[in-house]
């Protein structure tokens, strides 16, 4: 069944949010902050592993790096496009709408929790590649594995940041569902290079989310999302990065 992976992933996020909501009451503020930092560090290392897989390669007995120009161009140009469009503000407006409609208007951290959690579980390489696999070959195994990881991540984030994290299931359902359907349409022209570029740029964006989680900087990661689309376009250019 095409799209089953998206359904499983969305359900796992809702379940993780539910568990985190009830277990979060058992932790003090200092413990919740520690959980949030731990989650951020975990996300950082997951992102580093994905980025290094895309940039490093073994040539003979040496380890070399590449695709630096791809990263610079996609991230820089993509961020400019995102800033001009105002994607982050769109996420925040949707979060404010959800906060009102779900009766959480008194939760001052709802929008931040929703945006941070949504970006964490939406833009990773597993979300994109898993959705493509589901759309092209009805293989939802990658999204099934991601569902287990997201269950844990959202449970921890919800316990430390609030119930807004659980509502990240909505953009995940829309995002992964769209990619799954789109992948069916473009499957004849999808290349391994395109998937590789998507994974690399997606991992770097996840790294930025990790930085936000540990509180080092307030990076508007949503405004960097066009970088992923530019990575796809770069795969079809007549030269390698």
């Amino acid at each position: 069944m095409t799209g089953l992976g998206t359904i499983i992933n969305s359900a796992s996020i809702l379940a993780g949010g539910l568990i985190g909501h009830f277990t979060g009451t058992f932790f003090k503020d200092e413990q919740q902050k520690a959980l949030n930092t731990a989650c951020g560090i975990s996300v950082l290392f997951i992102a580093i592993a994905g980025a290094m897989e895309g940039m490093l390669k073994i040539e003979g007995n040496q380890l070399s790096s590449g695709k630096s120009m791809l990263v610079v161009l996609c991230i820089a140009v993509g961020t400019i496009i995102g800033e001009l469009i105002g994607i982050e503000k769109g996420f925040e407006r949707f979060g404010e709408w959800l906060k009102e409609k779900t009766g959480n208007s008194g939760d001052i951290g709802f929008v931040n929790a929703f945006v941070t959690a949504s970006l964490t579980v939406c833009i990773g390489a597993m979300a994109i590649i898993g959705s493509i696999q589901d759309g092209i070959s009805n293989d939802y195994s990658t999204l099934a594995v991601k569902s287990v990881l997201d269950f844990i991540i959202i449970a921890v984030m919800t316990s430390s940041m609030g119930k807004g994290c659980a509502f990240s299931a909505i953009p995940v359902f829309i995002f992964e569902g769209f990619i799954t359907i789109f992948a069916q349409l473009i499957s004849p022209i999808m290349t391994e290079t395109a998937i590789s570029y998507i994974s690399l740029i997606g991992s770097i964006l996840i790294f930025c989310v990790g930085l936000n989680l540990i509180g080092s900087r307030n990076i508007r990661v949503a405004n960097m999302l066009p970088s992923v689309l530019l990575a796809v376009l770069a795969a079809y250019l007549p030269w390698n990065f």
Side-chain angles (χ1 to χ4, degrees):
M1 172 184 171
T2 303
L4 181 59
T6 298
I7 296 173
I8 294 174
N9 199 180
S10 301
S12 71
I13 291 172
L14 287 173
L18 186 64
I19 296 296
H21 174 64
F22 288 108
T23 58
T25 57
F26 297 106
F27 298 107
K28 299 179 180 178
D29 289 341
E30 307 83 46
Q31 294 170 331
Q32 289 180 345
K33 290 179 180 178
L35 279 174
N36 194 45
T37 301
C39 189
I41 293 172
S42 300
V43 170
L44 282 175
F45 275 93
I46 291 172
I48 290 171
M52 291 301 96
E53 183 179 0
M55 297 185 72
L56 299 179
K57 60 181 178 179
I58 298 176
E59 294 182 342
N61 295 324
Q62 294 183 336
L63 185 65
S64 62
S65 63
K67 300 185 178 69
S68 299
M69 188 59 67
L70 171 73
V71 171
V72 172
L73 290 176
C74 287
I75 296 296
V77 178
T79 300
I80 292 173
I81 295 173
E83 288 287 340
L84 292 174
I85 297 174
I87 299 175
E88 184 96 3
K89 291 181 180 179
F91 263 96
E92 291 174 352
R93 285 194 294 268
F94 184 56
E96 290 287 355
W97 181 82
L98 275 178
K99 183 171 73 171
E100 295 295 329
K101 294 300 181 180
T102 57
N104 292 290
S105 56
D107 186 353
I108 59 174
F110 183 94
V111 175
N112 179 57
F114 167 74
V115 173
T116 302
S118 296
L119 292 173
T120 302
V121 295
C122 271
I123 62 176
M126 292 183 74
I128 298 171
I129 293 176
S131 299
I132 291 174
Q133 291 174 336
D134 195 3
I136 293 177
S137 58
N138 291 337
D139 178 9
Y140 62 88
S141 58
T142 299
L143 288 181
V145 174
K146 178 179 180 291
S147 298
V148 177
L149 296 175
D150 287 351
F151 173 84
I152 298 171
I153 290 172
I154 294 300
V156 172
M157 292 181 71
T158 303
S159 66
S160 61
M161 299 181 68
K163 65 180 73 174
C165 296
F167 289 90
S168 61
I170 297 174
V172 164
F173 183 83
I174 297 172
F175 182 72
E176 292 182 354
F178 172 79
I179 293 179
T180 298
I181 295 172
F182 187 65
Q184 285 185 308
L185 300 176
I186 66 170
S187 57
I189 62 172
M190 180 58 68
T191 65
E192 291 185 8
T193 301
I195 295 175
S196 174
Y197 285 2
I198 290 171
S199 300
L200 172 57
I201 301 302
S203 294
I204 293 173
L205 298 192
I206 283 291
F207 180 85
C208 295
V209 173
L211 289 178
N212 282 342
L213 284 172
I214 62 177
S216 61
R217 287 190 61 185
N218 183 25
I219 304 173
R220 295 194 290 265
V221 184
N223 286 344
M224 302 168 72
L225 286 175
S227 303
V228 177
L229 296 178
L230 294 178
V232 176
L233 296 176
Y236 297 97
L237 293 177
W239 62 81
N240 294 323
F241 288 89

